[in-house]
Amino acid sequence: MNTLPETRWNRRAIEKQRRLARVAGLARGAVLPTHSITQALQQLLNPGDRVVLEGNNQKQADFLARSLARADPGVLHDLHLIMPSVSLPQHLDLFERGIARRLDFSFAGAQSLRISQLLQDGRLEIGAIHTYAELYARLYVDLIPDVVLVAGYMADRQGNLYTGPSTEDTPVLVEAAAFRNGIVIAQVNQVVDDPGELPRVDVPGSWIDFVVQADRPFFIEPLFTRDPRLIKPVHVLMAMMALRGIYERHEVRSLNHGIGFNTAAIELILPTYGEKLGLKGRICRNWALNPHPTLIPAIESGWVESVHCFGGESGMEDYVAARPDVFFTGADGSMRSNRLLCQLAGQYAVDLFIGSTLQMDGQANSSTVTKGRLTGFGGAPNMGHDPGGRRHATPAWLSLVEGQDGLARGRKLVVQMVETFQEGGRPTFVETLDAVQVGQDTGMPLAPVMIYGDDVTHVLSEEGIAYLYKARSLDERKAMLAAVAGVTPTGMRSDAAQVRRMRSEGLVAFPEDLGVRRAEASRSLLAAKSVADLVEWSGGLYKPPARFRSW
Amino acid sequence: MNTLPETRWNRRAIEKQRRLARVAGLARGAVLPTHSITQALQQLLNPGDRVVLEGNNQKQADFLARSLARADPGVLHDLHLIMPSVSLPQHLDLFERGIARRLDFSFAGAQSLRISQLLQDGRLEIGAIHTYAELYARLYVDLIPDVVLVAGYMADRQGNLYTGPSTEDTPVLVEAAAFRNGIVIAQVNQVVDDPGELPRVDVPGSWIDFVVQADRPFFIEPLFTRDPRLIKPVHVLMAMMALRGIYERHEVRSLNHGIGFNTAAIELILPTYGEKLGLKGRICRNWALNPHPTLIPAIESGWVESVHCFGGESGMEDYVAARPDVFFTGADGSMRSNRLLCQLAGQYAVDLFIGSTLQMDGQANSSTVTKGRLTGFGGAPNMGHDPGGRRHATPAWLSLVEGQDGLARGRKLVVQMVETFQEGGRPTFVETLDAVQVGQDTGMPLAPVMIYGDDVTHVLSEEGIAYLYKARSLDERKAMLAAVAGVTPTGMRSDAAQVRRMRSEGLVAFPEDLGVRRAEASRSLLAAKSVADLVEWSGGLYKPPARFRSW
């Protein structure tokens, strides 16, 4: 460690030098000992620091989170945490104990209720709820971190890091501190002596200050696995409509699927219904997607040219490694994912985003936020909007041009696929989104809308498809939406004569308008009907996590 | 090199193995000899390959481009080139010689005329003209490369790469091939034996197949340097209006400046006029920007908290290295730029984009495309649009909310700063953009518009500011624009009574409405009046390239 002369312009470098000196007695080179990590964190962090903690969809810096939560709040307090995903109880223990005070995040999931409670209790302040892309961007502008805590599989003693298949956010989080005199600490499942023992390097050692071997492997959750046994005939019907009325009609070649039984059904009828329609090779070739197990039959049947992944998925490691022509893998054979690049791909490079929501209002604004929960939306708002900055064309994108204007441009297909009623009988189509009230109650500067109606091009329900991009007025848009809203209050306002006109004009399509036979919509169209079937399709390469091994 | 058993699923890996075997006699480990690079390229590439060639704003893989252009078109032909920036004559020699046939790119600049000619002559096909962000995204979806050719300062014999301050696109280009069994070749100015001799690692060696020492250092051009001597009083007047009528009014804290004398004038009056207005610390704190020399006085005066850069700028190396609290620098001291991350920052994390254009139509659509030239727009369309996927708020973003709707959202400030006439007396404000005709003539699927009018929030000319985001109708929008269009044909249609009304309603503001005194608008407000002044401000750290050393 060389000693810098202090100037007006290197305060961060001097401060870093000071902090590193504090742990000189603890660290062996770049390796911090497991048992003294809490002590090291107390010495490397200052109260009020801006700290990025890798909470991700799959990979969690859980050992570092737990160790930080054991710090003395008298020593370490008022941290400003920046987290892509707040997933673990320990993340919020940090606020309960006063170690952290302020939070910027993108997605909360299971912890969303507790975030709302801590907010009400005044123990937590929210900076903003971002999408992933924004959160990463602000790390380079006005949320530059002092300390970054991440997770990987393996590191050598110089800090070279192998993240494993769930690279996810790690590189973009690390870069922000590594090149700004911040401090980067990576927990790993294993520290190896010889750089040659690393399968590959995902983040160079010169970007990382310290590695520490965790007390146990990091926590990982199979978030993107859907059991085909739970797919119902109504999902199959909707999937058939999606293929005929959207994918085939617009020649959708590249796409992103949100997670859910609806989109899983689409994936699973490609090798059956899709094959029968002669669509193989014409649609669904290039994907921006987590490695969904339900995509296995389509891959094995030769539908899929490429899949770039946000993150990994438990149980899919061996399958992905054995399909390098389809997935992005390293020289070592294991997958390389990258949430930033996959977000960019999902925003700018694909023809279609298709997702689901809990509520949609009469103008097609939608949100998954319900009372008492601050969930955030991860990447949905980025992928579920028409990026005005796009300048390249594809057949699907151009197929949405309406009118003859010399300045006309295409549009990204943004599809919402919803059943008219949620479980428990709550209507999906509502007068006003709960999100509006939640926004007001929690003092948010704007209502937490996931996808704005003016970005939605198609709404697909079990009733039919509303081609919203064709609407010539707000009233027509509302009428189109009502036509597919079934017996919800929104749907009940629909007028039969108007619906007939809209069907004949191609503004709305019901299954029979698309040549979709309702009688055919059964589970027998699913290429795999259970997790066991998926394992079989994969030739035993897919190894489902215990909770899905119920056969 | 281990030999893989061929399966249905590893064709790319097998093919890579086959190609690597072909050069086994030429390469020494990861190092290819300088003198046999053309031979190596002929063996590593196949006809029809998709090849990324690093042509960047600053850094050029020029040795690899020249060497590829010397290949035998009988052996190597019909390549599909993907280039962020087409900058050098050699890039187009590849097409003239039949080695390459198809081109996807983002920006052409000086080569734009020749691209149009080659296109007309049928020697070049265009895939699409992308923005940078889209081009990167498609490398992971449907433009996955077979071979990637990049440039750096230095590498060791394992291929670990130090890019130097202009990291720019290199990491995102390399990743697409490194994790997809493509081949990555980096030219460097120097190959070192010991990894310890590298200042730092920007791209890990396990991502790179071969390095080759170039016959001379790569070409780099000072694209972002503007000589303050060429800033005119009218630029100062416009800069004063920008500060009062936009930056101060909307509390613009984070921003991106396009390149030009207009924005250079803003940078140079911050320490004078801005200081007098008491705006220091309130505006212009966080920047996404190349290291413009004209920003030096503002940095030295303490205005600037941070600058994240797309790329480097010749002559700014030592200055940037000496200001690590402001710029992103590595442990070695030199700058780390990253075009992908800076584009993301410019799109999602900043309050304001301000740029210029050659033509603007009556609805504020603008383009820099003129007859006979296919230039592309680089990143301007991404930064110059309101990203609908944004979900976090800032004071500036919220200040553009109009109306009381519960679902109202803010907007990004997208400012076009133009003189009403271009050099040579051509009006900036035109009936129809030349781009419409160019689009038709060249068979483009859509007219090459740089920034669409509906994304533009403010137009600033020497006449005044039109606050377009306040327009309640298309007619009002046109009238507001006409009010600042001076004596161009567009401006001549302006109605005096209507202008008075719009000024009183705050839709349009003239200098006197903003408290800007025209008499004060002189070059004396510029904190630096020459390149020599900039050098002095920098304490001699800024080393301008020869062509700017005219004092």
Side-chain angles (χ1 to χ4, degrees):
Chain A
M1 210 175 303
N2 48 353
T3 307
L4 292 167
E6 186 156 352
T7 72
R8 231 184 104 194
W9 302 104
N10 67 354
R11 286 176 194 158
R12 290 180 67 95
I14 294 289
E15 173 61 24
K16 175 167 181 172
Q17 201 170 262
R18 200 176 287 138
R19 294 182 187 204
L20 295 184
R22 283 190 218 141
V23 296
L26 277 179
R28 289 193 176 186
V31 183
L32 289 169
T34 308
H35 62 273
S36 45
I37 186 67
T38 298
Q39 188 190 346
L41 289 171
Q42 286 192 173
Q43 288 170 338
L44 288 168
L45 276 65
N46 278 0
D49 268 0
R50 219 180 262 151
V51 180
V52 172
L53 177 57
E54 181 174 2
N56 234 320
N57 259 340
Q58 284 92 351
K59 184 155 55 75
Q60 308 294 338
D62 53 351
F63 168 64
L64 291 171
R66 269 184 278 125
S67 304
L68 188 60
R70 279 197 295 267
D72 177 357
V75 176
L76 205 52
H77 47 84
D78 294 311
L79 298 180
H80 177 177
L81 284 195
I82 304 171
M83 302 186 63
S85 181
V86 184
S87 319
L88 304 175
Q90 295 90 341
H91 295 154
L92 295 178
D93 293 348
L94 288 163
F95 293 89
E96 216 145 69
R97 298 203 58 227
I99 295 167
R101 163 149 301 274
R102 195 172 172 82
L103 176 65
D104 276 84
F105 72 107
S106 291
F107 186 69
Q111 304 303 322
S112 56
L113 195 60
R114 199 159 151 225
I115 288 183
S116 303
Q117 287 165 345
L118 286 164
L119 185 68
Q120 270 191 320
D121 298 348
R123 302 198 67 80
L124 180 152
E125 295 162 7
I126 288 182
I129 307 182
H130 304 73
T131 62
Y132 292 128
E134 293 167 70
L135 190 77
Y136 307 148
R138 290 191 67 194
L139 298 180
Y140 296 84
V141 180
D142 59 353
L143 285 181
I144 298 170
D146 299 301
V147 177
V148 171
L149 308 173
V150 296
Y153 265 68
M154 208 185 273
D156 67 20
R157 295 188 166 275
Q158 278 77 55
N160 290 298
L161 183 70
Y162 167 59
T163 59
S166 280
T167 305
E168 298 193 77
D169 303 337
T170 310
V172 66
L173 303 180
V174 169
E175 183 163 343
F179 294 97
R180 189 75 184 175
N181 287 304
I183 290 171
V184 180
I185 309 172
Q187 73 167 66
V188 291
N189 299 343
Q190 191 188 354
V191 175
V192 297
D193 290 326
D194 181 0
E197 290 177 66
L198 291 179
R200 68 172 185 247
V201 175
D202 287 295
V203 180
S206 61
W207 300 21
I208 290 181
D209 296 296
F210 297 109
V211 296
V212 56
Q213 189 159 313
D215 53 359
R216 53 176 189 265
F218 58 74
F219 176 76
I220 195 153
E221 198 180 359
L223 274 181
F224 294 90
T225 299
R226 288 293 175 275
D227 188 338
R229 282 188 309 179
L230 302 177
I231 296 176
K232 294 180 289 189
V234 65
H235 298 134
V236 177
L237 175 66
M238 291 166 71
M240 293 165 74
M241 285 194 275
L243 282 196
R244 292 234 71 166
I246 301 174
Y247 291 39
E248 179 182 13
R249 180 173 295 192
H250 296 288
E251 235 183 292
V252 173
R253 292 186 193 156
S254 53
L255 68 167
N256 165 259
H257 273 190
I259 185 64
F261 292 105
N262 288 325
T263 45
I266 299 178
E267 293 154 21
L268 286 171
I269 69 168
L270 288 174
T272 57
Y273 189 65
E275 195 92 22
K276 201 181 78 176
L277 294 172
L279 297 176
K280 190 158 106 181
R282 289 173 49 206
I283 63 166
C284 297
R285 301 198 308 216
N286 305 102
W287 300 69
L289 193 80
N290 282 289
H292 291 181
T294 42
L295 198 59
I296 293 172
I299 293 172
E300 294 301 308
S301 308
W303 279 72
V304 178
E305 274 176 18
S306 69
V307 183
H308 187 264
C309 297
F310 303 96
E313 181 66 1
S314 285
M316 286 290 281
E317 294 83 354
D318 293 348
Y319 178 74
V320 167
R323 299 291 177 265
D325 281 356
V326 173
F327 293 94
F328 283 72
T329 56
D332 62 307
S334 69
M335 186 169 81
R336 163 90 174 187
S337 59
N338 189 320
R339 189 174 311 285
L340 164 61
L341 293 178
C342 203
Q343 285 287 335
L344 199 71
Q347 176 166 332
Y348 272 118
V350 303
D351 289 330
L352 168 140
F353 163 82
I354 185 164
S356 203
T357 184
L358 294 179
Q359 290 191 329
M360 179 176 286
D361 73 14
Q363 297 186 42
N365 296 299
S366 63
S367 186
T368 50
V369 164
T370 52
K371 294 197 172 118
R373 287 184 183 273
L374 283 175
T375 57
F377 304 118
N382 298 124
M383 308 212 268
H385 91 286
D386 179 41
R390 173 168 169 168
R391 290 294 179 275
H392 78 274
T394 60
W397 191 77
L398 288 173
S399 73
L400 267 64
V401 171
E402 296 281 296
Q404 298 291 322
D405 182 356
L407 295 174
R409 46 184 155 162
R411 280 183 75 169
K412 178 174 181 178
L413 279 83
V414 175
V415 183
Q416 288 280 30
M417 190 174 183
V418 291
E419 288 177 76
T420 54
F421 284 86
Q422 299 290 314
E423 308 231 335
R426 290 185 312 277
T428 304
F429 295 94
V430 295
E431 218 37 55
T432 307
L433 299 177
D434 283 0
V436 174
Q437 192 63 48
V438 171
Q440 285 166 7
D441 290 350
T442 53
M444 294 173 78
L446 51 158
V449 173
M450 180 171 68
I451 296 181
Y452 286 94
D454 47 11
D455 278 320
V456 177
T457 59
H458 301 72
V459 173
L460 194 173
S461 76
E462 73 275 21
E463 300 290 330
I465 299 174
Y467 294 89
L468 295 185
Y469 69 95
K470 295 187 174 185
R472 288 153 296 196
S473 70
L474 190 56
D475 280 342
E476 189 165 69
R477 188 181 177 78
K478 288 181 182 172
M480 288 163 72
L481 199 55
V484 299
V487 295
T488 61
T490 308
M492 301 295 269
R493 276 201 295 272
S494 189
D495 170 77
Q498 196 182 26
V499 170
R500 272 194 302 278
R501 176 186 60 78
M502 292 192 297
R503 285 175 67 184
S504 73
E505 290 179 5
L507 301 179
V508 163
F510 288 175
E512 38 281 27
D513 305 327
L514 301 168
V516 168
R517 291 175 47 227
R518 288 173 200 264
E520 212 181 334
S522 76
R523 283 182 41 86
S524 64
L525 278 185
L526 298 174
K529 293 169 190 67
S530 65
V531 171
D533 284 355
L534 292 173
V535 173
E536 198 181 318
W537 269 104
S538 78
L541 289 165
Y542 172 44
K543 313 266 181 359
R547 69 161 115 152
F548 291 103
R549 295 177 162 278
S550 49
W551 64 90
Chain B
M1 210 175 302
N2 46 353
T3 308
L4 292 168
E6 187 157 352
T7 72
R8 232 185 101 195
W9 302 103
N10 67 353
R11 286 176 194 157
R12 289 179 68 94
I14 295 288
E15 173 62 23
K16 175 167 181 173
Q17 202 170 262
R18 199 175 290 138
R19 295 183 187 203
L20 295 185
R22 283 189 218 143
V23 296
L26 277 178
R28 290 195 176 186
V31 183
L32 289 169
T34 307
H35 63 273
S36 44
I37 185 66
T38 298
Q39 188 189 348
L41 289 171
Q42 286 191 172
Q43 290 169 339
L44 287 168
L45 274 66
N46 278 359
D49 269 0
R50 219 180 259 149
V51 179
V52 173
L53 177 57
E54 182 173 2
N56 235 320
N57 260 341
Q58 284 93 352
K59 185 155 55 75
Q60 309 292 339
D62 54 351
F63 169 64
L64 291 172
R66 268 185 278 124
S67 304
L68 188 59
R70 278 197 297 266
D72 176 356
V75 175
L76 205 52
H77 49 84
D78 294 310
L79 298 179
H80 177 175
L81 285 195
I82 305 170
M83 303 188 61
S85 182
V86 184
S87 318
L88 305 177
Q90 294 91 341
H91 295 154
L92 295 179
D93 294 348
L94 289 163
F95 292 90
E96 217 144 67
R97 299 203 58 227
I99 295 168
R101 164 149 300 272
R102 195 171 172 81
L103 175 65
D104 278 85
F105 73 106
S106 292
F107 185 69
Q111 303 304 321
S112 56
L113 194 60
R114 199 161 150 224
I115 288 183
S116 302
Q117 286 165 345
L118 286 166
L119 185 67
Q120 271 191 319
D121 298 346
R123 303 198 65 81
L124 179 151
E125 296 161 9
I126 287 182
I129 308 183
H130 304 74
T131 62
Y132 293 127
E134 293 168 69
L135 189 78
Y136 307 148
R138 291 193 66 194
L139 298 180
Y140 296 83
V141 180
D142 58 354
L143 285 181
I144 299 171
D146 300 302
V147 177
V148 170
L149 308 174
V150 296
Y153 266 69
M154 205 185 276
D156 66 21
R157 296 187 166 274
Q158 278 77 55
N160 290 298
L161 184 70
Y162 167 58
T163 58
S166 279
T167 304
E168 299 192 79
D169 304 337
T170 311
V172 68
L173 303 180
V174 170
E175 183 163 344
F179 294 98
R180 188 76 184 173
N181 287 304
I183 290 172
V184 180
I185 308 173
Q187 74 167 70
V188 292
N189 299 344
Q190 192 188 355
V191 176
V192 298
D193 290 325
D194 181 358
E197 289 177 67
L198 291 179
R200 67 173 186 247
V201 176
D202 287 295
V203 180
S206 61
W207 300 21
I208 289 180
D209 296 295
F210 297 109
V211 297
V212 55
Q213 189 160 312
D215 53 358
R216 53 175 188 265
F218 59 75
F219 176 77
I220 196 153
E221 197 181 2
L223 276 180
F224 296 90
T225 299
R226 289 294 175 274
D227 187 336
R229 281 188 310 181
L230 302 177
I231 296 176
K232 294 178 289 191
V234 64
H235 298 134
V236 177
L237 174 67
M238 290 166 71
M240 292 166 76
M241 284 194 274
L243 282 195
R244 292 234 68 165
I246 301 174
Y247 291 40
E248 177 181 16
R249 179 174 296 190
H250 297 288
E251 236 183 291
V252 173
R253 292 184 193 157
S254 52
L255 68 165
N256 165 259
H257 273 191
I259 185 65
F261 292 106
N262 288 325
T263 45
I266 298 178
E267 293 154 19
L268 287 171
I269 68 167
L270 288 173
T272 55
Y273 189 65
E275 195 93 24
K276 201 182 79 177
L277 294 173
L279 296 176
K280 189 159 106 178
R282 288 172 51 206
I283 63 166
C284 298
R285 301 198 307 216
N286 306 102
W287 300 69
L289 194 79
N290 283 290
H292 291 181
T294 42
L295 198 59
I296 292 172
I299 293 172
E300 296 300 308
S301 308
W303 278 72
V304 178
E305 274 176 18
S306 68
V307 182
H308 187 265
C309 296
F310 302 94
E313 180 67 0
S314 285
M316 286 290 281
E317 294 84 354
D318 293 349
Y319 178 74
V320 167
R323 299 290 177 266
D325 282 356
V326 172
F327 293 94
F328 282 72
T329 57
D332 62 306
S334 68
M335 187 169 77
R336 163 91 175 184
S337 59
N338 188 321
R339 189 173 312 282
L340 165 61
L341 293 177
C342 203
Q343 285 288 336
L344 199 71
Q347 176 167 332
Y348 273 120
V350 305
D351 289 331
L352 168 139
F353 163 84
I354 185 164
S356 203
T357 185
L358 294 179
Q359 290 192 328
M360 180 176 286
D361 74 14
Q363 296 186 42
N365 297 300
S366 63
S367 186
T368 51
V369 165
T370 54
K371 295 201 172 114
R373 286 182 184 274
L374 284 176
T375 57
F377 306 119
N382 297 125
M383 308 212 270
H385 91 285
D386 180 40
R390 174 169 168 167
R391 290 296 179 274
H392 79 272
T394 60
W397 191 78
L398 288 173
S399 74
L400 268 64
V401 172
E402 294 281 294
Q404 299 289 320
D405 182 356
L407 294 175
R409 43 184 158 162
R411 279 184 76 167
K412 178 173 179 178
L413 280 83
V414 175
V415 183
Q416 288 280 33
M417 189 172 183
V418 291
E419 287 177 77
T420 54
F421 285 86
Q422 299 291 313
E423 308 230 334
R426 291 186 311 279
T428 304
F429 295 93
V430 296
E431 216 41 52
T432 306
L433 300 178
D434 283 358
V436 174
Q437 191 63 47
V438 171
Q440 284 164 9
D441 290 349
T442 54
M444 295 174 79
L446 51 157
V449 173
M450 179 171 66
I451 296 181
Y452 286 93
D454 46 11
D455 278 320
V456 177
T457 59
H458 302 70
V459 173
L460 193 173
S461 75
E462 74 275 21
E463 301 289 330
I465 299 173
Y467 294 89
L468 294 185
Y469 69 95
K470 294 186 174 186
R472 288 153 297 194
S473 70
L474 190 56
D475 281 343
E476 189 164 70
R477 189 181 177 78
K478 288 181 182 173
M480 287 162 74
L481 200 55
V484 299
V487 295
T488 62
T490 307
M492 300 295 269
R493 277 201 294 272
S494 190
D495 170 78
Q498 195 182 27
V499 171
R500 271 195 302 278
R501 176 188 60 80
M502 292 192 297
R503 287 175 67 185
S504 74
E505 289 179 6
L507 301 180
V508 163
F510 288 174
E512 38 281 26
D513 305 325
L514 300 168
V516 169
R517 290 175 49 228
R518 289 173 198 265
E520 211 181 335
S522 76
R523 284 182 42 86
S524 64
L525 276 186
L526 298 173
K529 293 169 192 65
S530 66
V531 172
D533 284 356
L534 292 173
V535 173
E536 197 180 320
W537 269 104
S538 77
L541 290 165
Y542 171 45
K543 315 265 182 352
R547 70 162 115 151
F548 291 104
R549 292 176 164 279
S550 48
W551 67 91

